Amino acid sequence: MNHPTSALDHLPRYVRVRSGEQDTFVEFDFAIGSPELYVELVLPRPAFQQFCLTNRVQHMNAQMSEAINADMQKWRYGESAQESSD
């Protein structure tokens, strides 16, 4: 069965795992197009692995994760991590 394609099909998809490697359930952030806009999800490990294959995800690198963490800090506390350390 062929599914119609959409503009979203061509955008990169990102995951950032938040749980430990040995945990039964994988807690992770999932983003389409831009790593800064994500949803938090939880799946059993086998389902997470299939999810990653199906969505052809890229794991967020350290630089992406740091940028997201800094943005979260700014929204929670009204300042960036850089400003609070000055």
Side-chain angles (χ1 to χ4, degrees):
M1 174 183 213
N2 289 337
H3 296 281
T5 60
S6 74
L8 291 177
D9 292 336
H10 302 290
L11 294 174
R13 296 159 191 231
Y14 303 97
V15 295
R16 177 168 70 154
V17 176
R18 295 180 165 275
S19 55
E21 290 183 24
Q22 302 303 318
D23 293 342
T24 302
F25 290 93
V26 180
E27 298 175 36
F28 65 102
D29 300 335
F30 175 64
I32 298 176
S34 174
E36 296 86 18
L37 184 59
Y38 59 88
V39 295
E40 297 173 359
L41 300 172
V42 178
L43 289 172
R45 191 157 298 279
F48 171 73
Q49 292 166 345
Q50 184 60 49
F51 178 89
C52 289
L53 288 173
T54 300
N55 286 286
R56 300 175 313 277
V57 302
Q58 300 173 35
H59 286 268
M60 291 186 202
N61 62 33
Q63 185 178 13
M64 289 176 182
S65 292
E66 288 173 16
I68 291 168
N69 289 340
D71 193 52
M72 286 171 48
Q73 176 88 9
K74 180 177 127 184
W75 283 103
R76 282 191 183 139
Y77 304 110
E79 59 186 28
S80 69
Q82 179 70 11
E83 291 171 349
S84 63
S85 66
D86 291 344

